[in-house]
């Protein structure tokens, strides 16, 4: 099966600019996650979707970050305006529907953001 | 959210077994124990998971303590390709939330 697709792989922007990341999960995976991974740290959950509804966004800085998952498939994560501390790898992951036995995560390769 | 504690780093010789420990003293009865690993410049990948019983798959074995307050990931014969950061995670039963810690960086020596 095809993996989780993310784009762009790399992005360099100036602070206060905006940026958007796109994720296409594995077909049939109802749950989608966005993680932020700062260099040297473990991934930090930003937002979790179940189909097109938000399950958890408690760690999403809502004054500058937004995410949507229209039609319960693709998802977009936006940062506006970006700050220097937003420099990180943004990882998208998906898993099969809740209630399924294994429910393991499959990650994309990530989008590396550098804010200058 | 239940937390896990892992050593920051470990070393192993190639072709020797590796035991990666994880403490999770606040685990609830319905939390699954998951292990993922992250190779350089890649997203994390699934390794193994379990609830109460020990588990084996083609990549590794998972030994879970009887009280479930700790677990150990066992790589039976480490190779250079196993050098990665290994994360022990408790999957929240109610929300299916996965909270990563800082993980253990495994170095494999040739």
């Amino acid at each position: 099966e095809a993996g989780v697709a993310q784009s762009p792989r790399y992005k360099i922007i100036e602070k206060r600019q905006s940026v958007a990341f796109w994720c296409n999960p594995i077909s049939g995976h109802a749950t989608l996650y966005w993680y932020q991974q700062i260099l040297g740290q473990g991934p930090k959950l930003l937002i979790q979707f179940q189909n097109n509804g938000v399950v958890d966004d408690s760690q999403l800085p809502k004054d500058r970050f937004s995410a949507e998952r229209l039609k319960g498939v693709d998802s977009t994560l936006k940062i506006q305006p970006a700050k220097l501390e937003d420099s990180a790898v943004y990882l998208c992951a998906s898993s099969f529907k809740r209630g399924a036995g294994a429910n393991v995560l499959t990650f994309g390769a990530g989008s590396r953001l550098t804010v200058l | 959210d239940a937390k896990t504690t892992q050593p920051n780093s470990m070393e192993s010789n190639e072709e020797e077994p590796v035991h990666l420990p994880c403490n999770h003293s606040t685990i609830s009865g319905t939390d699954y124990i998951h292990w993922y690993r992250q190779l350089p410049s890649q997203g994390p990948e699934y390794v193994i998971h379990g609830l109460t019983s020990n588990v084996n798959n083609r990549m590794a074995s998972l030994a879970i303590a009887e009280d479930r307050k700790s677990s150990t990931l066992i790589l039976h014969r480490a190779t250079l390709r196993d050098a990665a950061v290994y994360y022990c995670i408790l999957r929240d039963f109610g929300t299916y939330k996965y909270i990563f810690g800082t993980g253990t960086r495994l170095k494999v020596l040739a």
Side-chain angles (χ1 to χ4, degrees):
Chain A
E1 63 182 1
V4 176
Q6 290 190 246
S7 67
R9 286 297 312 278
Y10 305 94
K11 189 74 175 179
I12 301 173
I13 61 174
E14 301 280 336
K15 61 183 179 183
R16 290 187 290 274
Q17 287 186 324
S18 64
V19 63
F21 302 110
W22 172 81
C23 173
N24 185 20
I26 291 174
S27 177
H29 279 197
T31 310
L32 185 147
Y33 307 77
W34 282 102
Y35 286 86
Q36 177 194 59
Q37 187 170 27
I38 293 172
L39 188 64
Q41 299 181 17
K44 171 188 171 184
L45 179 65
L46 293 176
I47 190 167
Q48 176 185 344
F49 291 95
Q50 176 69 18
N51 295 310
N52 60 351
V54 175
V55 174
D56 187 296
D57 63 357
S58 58
Q59 297 297 304
L60 187 74
K62 298 180 186 64
D63 58 334
R64 298 182 301 106
F65 285 65
S66 65
E68 60 181 9
R69 190 182 184 198
L70 300 176
K71 300 181 182 178
V73 182
D74 294 6
S75 178
T76 302
L77 176 71
K78 296 179 181 177
I79 308 174
Q80 182 178 12
K83 293 185 175 181
L84 296 177
E85 58 260 37
D86 298 332
S87 294
V89 176
Y90 291 86
L91 295 162
C92 179
S94 69
S95 67
F96 196 50
K97 62 183 179 181
R98 294 177 67 181
N103 194 261
V104 300
L105 296 179
T106 302
F107 281 85
S111 295
R112 181 178 297 278
L113 173 66
T114 301
V115 182
L116 304 176
Chain B
D1 298 325
K3 297 292 190 289
T4 62
T5 304
Q6 300 177 254
N8 288 333
S9 63
M10 292 184 65
E11 282 189 0
S12 173
N13 293 318
E14 197 176 12
E15 299 189 6
E16 290 188 355
V18 182
H19 291 232
L20 299 167
C22 180
N23 288 318
H24 29 78
S25 58
T26 60
I27 190 171
S28 72
T30 52
D31 284 338
Y32 277 80
I33 301 161
H34 281 238
W35 284 81
Y36 287 75
R37 73 178 185 181
Q38 188 170 23
L39 303 171
S41 301
Q42 295 187 24
E45 64 175 349
Y46 167 77
V47 177
I48 200 166
H49 78 284
L51 183 61
T52 56
S53 303
N54 294 344
V55 183
N56 299 298
N57 67 19
R58 63 175 181 82
M59 289 181 70
S61 295
L62 176 61
I64 301 172
E66 195 169 334
D67 63 5
R68 300 209 329 124
K69 294 184 184 299
S70 66
S71 61
T72 302
L73 178 70
I74 302 166
L75 306 179
H76 295 286
R77 289 183 66 210
T79 70
L80 297 177
R81 289 174 296 179
D82 292 322
V85 179
Y86 287 78
Y87 296 98
C88 168
I89 303 158
L90 300 182
R91 191 202 78 189
D92 184 280
F93 177 78
T95 65
Y96 282 68
K97 186 191 299 186
Y98 294 76
I99 304 299
F100 286 71
T102 53
T104 297
R105 182 173 298 278
L106 175 65
K107 185 176 181 179
V108 180
L109 306 174

